[in-house]
Amino acid sequence: MESPCNETQVSSRIDDRSTSDVVVRLRTQDGRDEWIYCHALILTQKSKYFADRLSENWPTCQILDSRNCVDVYCLESNFDYHVNVLRLLYDVIDGSVDDMWHGVRNALGILQVAVELGCPQIVTACVNYLEAVPWEEAEEEEILRIIPHMGSQAEPILARLQPVNPSAIMGIFLSTIRFATSSPPPSMNDLKSSAQEQLEYMLTEDDDAPLLTADEEIKLEVKECVKRLFARFSHILEALLCEPVESVCEAGVMQSFQSHLSDLSWAGQILNKLEIMKEYVNNWIDASDKIVKVVEQANPTAEITETKSKIIEVAAKVLEAIGYGTVILPTTKRLHVVKVWLPFVRVTKPVIDSATTNGDDAMTIKIDGELWQSLESTFVSIILALPSKDQAEILNEWLGNEHICYPDLTEAFEVWCYRSKVAKRRLSLVSGNNGITKTL
């Protein structure tokens, strides 16, 4: 047999004046004043606020239209949410009301009022809804603004935004770096590009600190992944060297070469952030002669021009690491780098510049002016760190070259002239056999 209380709840309807014994008076500072006819039994059972206001302990109780009256003051912007909360008090707060929230923003507004009026059933239902549904970006920001001030009852909503423990982050990073340096089918290239972007984001310090601090385990795994990438690149390089000149650009062969160059360019950025460029630089230097030979023996097509642009991007990272002392190499290797890449860059730049301003090639070949400028500065730095006789050889060749305008080595030339002129005075030896160098 159903209890009298339940019978009252079943027969009661909000705004049913004939059975109402309480008026909830919603009022705003703008003068809005709305009477909602309710039932004390429902209000006091489901809302702590109304239970307090309608209790015998409340000092005064206003009478309106022969009924107890409870004033509720609210902002105009929250008025409809208050009405919705009152209506929800009359509904069964379980799974049957999941379709009554009408979106994240509405549920947030209802939740704030439900917390204010002490309605635990509505609060729980709102929290369950907001915890489960997807959010748009603006909604997520609104949730972050509101929910943290609501205490433990609303914490489940923020579960998806909580920081992850370091071991989970490391697991994600290692899985991602393995995929990002792999060679999946072309249909998965977009997925790989996304993985590469997110890895770079994880390691970037912007308004927030990097997502993880690279320890030796992470550095070792990254180096191993890039080592495997270089091995595949070298295999393709050898295959291209064995191909006849006219078949180098056959469909798929050069595309695979370009894809690996793009991966190596991205890998250079990651390794630079982790400060583990040395092996990468050495591998590139060891392959330099073969890389240049592959593109020089091929017919000058748009595809080859694009390949050259990708080679320039990787070479720029390697040269910068050498030129600014990130990677320390012996003189012979530094001299070799200049002798291979200075001629390649000076001849390739006009070709790429022409391609970027003519026809459809301009859509795919993109090297901004900053990279060319950076390359020029890097060459100057590397050259000025070489022995003076090697500098003289390089500058002598540059002064007689038709591509003297780029790279412009004027700065290196001026420094070499100054150093050479004052060298004897600066490094003159004190007469005698004491072996002491005197600096004047």
Side-chain angles (χ1 to χ4, degrees), residues 11-52:
S11 62
S12 300
R13 297 289 181 269
I14 191 169
D15 251 357
D16 183 355
R17 191 168 179 174
S18 64
T19 59
S20 167
D21 57 357
V22 176
V23 173
V24 175
R25 191 178 182 187
L26 291 180
R27 308 174 73 175
T28 70
Q29 290 181 336
D30 299 329
R32 190 170 180 181
D33 186 348
E34 188 167 324
W35 298 5
I36 300 177
Y37 290 87
C38 300
H39 302 81
L41 180 62
I42 292 176
L43 296 183
T44 56
Q45 281 186 341
K46 297 184 176 181
S47 166
K48 184 177 186 303
Y49 175 82
F50 289 115
D52 291 342

Side-chain angles (χ1 to χ4, degrees), residues 102-229:
H102 305 298
V104 171
R105 288 188 181 278
N106 194 56
L108 268 175
I110 290 173
L111 176 59
Q112 291 178 85
V113 175
V115 169
E116 179 187 331
L117 298 182
C119 309
Q121 288 178 295
I122 298 178
V123 168
T124 299
C126 276
V127 168
N128 291 343
Y129 172 81
L130 290 169
E131 188 274 334
V133 298
W135 309 331
E136 294 182 359
E137 186 176 349
E139 292 170 343
E140 185 167 313
E141 294 302 318
E142 188 75 358
I143 285 169
L144 280 170
R145 185 180 67 82
I146 293 170
I147 298 302
H149 306 292
M150 289 190 172
S152 59
Q153 59 189 338
E155 279 183 2
I157 298 172
L158 300 176
R160 70 186 74 175
L161 304 178
Q162 296 298 328
V164 182
N165 66 68
S167 62
I169 293 173
M170 179 181 287
I172 287 288
F173 182 88
L174 295 178
S175 297
T176 309
I177 191 71
R178 289 164 192 152
F179 176 66
T181 53
S182 66
S183 298
S187 60
M188 298 175 66
N189 282 347
D190 287 345
L191 287 173
K192 187 170 81 169
S193 294
S194 176
Q196 291 175 349
E197 289 174 9
Q198 294 312 309
L199 281 169
E200 192 169 353
Y201 177 71
M202 288 183 199
L203 295 170
T204 298
E205 182 172 3
D206 40 36
D207 292 340
D208 301 295
L211 186 56
L212 80 167
T213 301
D215 58 16
E216 289 307 312
E217 180 183 353
I218 288 176
K219 290 181 179 181
L220 180 61
E221 182 62 29
V222 171
K223 286 196 284 188
E224 285 299 314
C225 288
V226 176
K227 184 178 179 180
R228 291 193 290 270
L229 174 60

Side-chain angles (χ1 to χ4, degrees), residues 183-344:
S183 298
S187 60
M188 298 175 66
N189 282 347
D190 287 345
L191 287 173
K192 187 170 81 169
S193 294
S194 176
Q196 291 175 349
E197 289 174 9
Q198 294 312 309
L199 281 169
E200 192 169 353
Y201 177 71
M202 288 183 199
L203 295 170
T204 298
E205 182 172 3
D206 40 36
D207 292 340
D208 301 295
L211 186 56
L212 80 167
T213 301
D215 58 16
E216 289 307 312
E217 180 183 353
I218 288 176
K219 290 181 179 181
L220 180 61
E221 182 62 29
V222 171
K223 286 196 284 188
E224 285 299 314
C225 288
V226 176
K227 184 178 179 180
R228 291 193 290 270
L229 174 60
F230 254 114
R232 294 194 303 274
F233 175 74
S234 297
H235 180 74
I236 296 171
L237 191 58
E238 294 294 338
L240 287 171
L241 287 169
C242 295
E243 293 281 346
V245 173
E246 61 272 11
S247 64
V248 169
C249 292
E250 285 183 359
V253 179
M254 194 55 69
Q255 275 191 338
S256 179
F257 191 56
Q258 286 183 10
S259 175
H260 280 75
L261 285 168
S262 295
D263 290 345
L264 286 172
S265 179
W266 166 81
Q269 295 173 225
I270 297 299
L271 294 169
N272 188 45
K273 289 178 183 294
L274 298 177
E275 300 179 347
I276 47 173
M277 287 283 285
K278 187 169 185 177
E279 189 173 348
Y280 174 88
V281 168
N282 279 299
N283 284 335
W284 182 261
I285 293 173
D286 292 343
S288 290
D289 291 313
K290 293 179 180 179
I291 295 167
V292 172
K293 185 178 179 180
V294 162
V295 290
E296 286 185 344
Q297 73 181 9
N299 293 323
T301 63
E303 188 175 28
I304 288 298
T305 303
E306 185 174 358
T307 302
K308 288 181 177 180
S309 73
K310 293 183 181 298
I311 289 171
I312 291 289
E313 289 176 4
V314 183
K317 291 178 173 61
V318 171
L319 290 165
E320 186 174 308
I322 299 168
Y324 297 105
T326 304
V327 174
I328 305 301
L329 295 176
T331 302
T332 52
K333 276 204 169 186
R334 286 182 281 124
L335 180 59
H336 178 69
V337 164
V338 174
K339 288 187 173 182
V340 172
W341 291 108
L342 182 61
F344 181 82

